[in-house]
Amino acid sequence: MKYLHIFLLLTILLANASSFANEPAQFSGIIDSHNQVRAKHNLQPLTWSNSLAQYARQWVDHLAETQNCEMIHRPNYDGGEFQQIYGENLFWASAVELATGQNQQQQFTPTEIVKAWAEEESFYDYQTNQCQAGEDCGHYTQMVWHESQQVGCAIAVCGDKSQIWACNYHPRGNYIGERPY
């Protein structure tokens, strides 16, 4: 009986290994960066999810193929196969035009992407649970959403060397009328 319990436990752990793993090298630091922001509010650390990363990959690939990396969120309603079911943060960057007239991809680290989202904290007023007028703070509030436990991210580079990053969060956050923490 003891061996059966060990076998069942190992089976469960191996089954979850494909969904929950360490972040890929391309996204090294993205989990720690998220969790440093979350730790300021004593929130549970996020873990990497390969299934969320695949979900993010589907969307950035779609944007690269059909929208030239334009920053468009998945639709919340009537989105068909692209219907939004998770929380989502997007980051877009144009290419750098060289003196030769050629475009070059800007280089960002995953930590820099998270930092850009985290800087929106200065626009968030916890007392009113709102962003300052004319400012965005939804990336920040999704990062620190108290119920979120997992994140997965992807990046796509378009032909013009612009790029789009997506991170998806489960469970999703940013519910109207609710505070993130």
Side-chain angles (χ1 to χ4, degrees):
M1 190 66 153
K2 176 181 175 183
Y3 294 110
L4 179 60
H5 285 110
I6 292 171
F7 175 76
L8 290 174
L9 179 62
L10 285 173
T11 303
I12 291 168
L13 289 173
L14 288 174
N16 287 329
S18 64
S19 290
F20 307 104
N22 293 327
E23 64 205 2
Q26 178 183 23
F27 295 101
S28 180
I30 208 159
I31 296 294
D32 285 342
S33 297
H34 272 86
N35 289 335
Q36 287 173 15
V37 175
R38 292 174 63 82
K40 293 179 188 178
H41 305 289
N42 298 315
L43 297 169
Q44 173 184 354
L46 296 176
T47 58
W48 181 264
S49 166
N50 286 333
S51 61
L52 288 173
Q54 291 170 351
Y55 185 80
R57 163 72 43 218
Q58 178 197 34
W59 188 242
V60 296
D61 285 349
H62 172 74
L63 293 176
E65 293 166 9
T66 65
Q67 303 295 322
N68 196 38
C69 289
E70 185 177 350
M71 193 166 83
I72 302 170
H73 283 280
R74 282 179 183 260
N76 281 315
Y77 305 101
D78 300 326
E81 72 175 300
F82 295 115
Q83 175 92 22
Q84 183 61 268
I85 57 175
Y86 300 112
E88 180 175 75
N89 279 347
L90 298 178
F91 178 90
W92 175 84
S94 65
V96 174
E97 188 173 339
L98 303 174
T100 62
Q102 294 179 314
N103 287 344
Q104 181 178 347
Q105 178 186 343
Q106 292 189 63
Q107 298 301 310
F108 293 97
T109 66
T111 301
E112 291 170 323
I113 303 304
V114 172
K115 183 178 183 237
W117 293 330
E119 287 173 348
E120 292 179 2
E121 179 180 13
S122 64
F123 304 131
Y124 176 66
D125 182 340
Y126 184 82
Q127 296 306 325
T128 64
N129 193 30
Q130 295 180 357
C131 300
Q132 289 178 10
E135 300 293 348
D136 188 12
C137 64
H139 299 102
Y140 165 72
T141 55
Q142 176 57 73
M143 286 176 49
V144 296
W145 197 260
H146 63 285
E147 293 174 336
S148 294
Q149 299 173 10
Q150 304 160 2
V151 64
C153 306
I155 179 177
V157 178
C158 282
D160 67 354
K161 304 296 183 187
S162 64
Q163 59 191 290
I164 185 82
W165 294 63
C167 285
N168 288 108
Y169 302 82
H170 177 72
R172 70 188 303 174
N174 284 343
Y175 289 104
I176 295 172
E178 291 185 34
R179 286 185 167 77
Y181 47 86

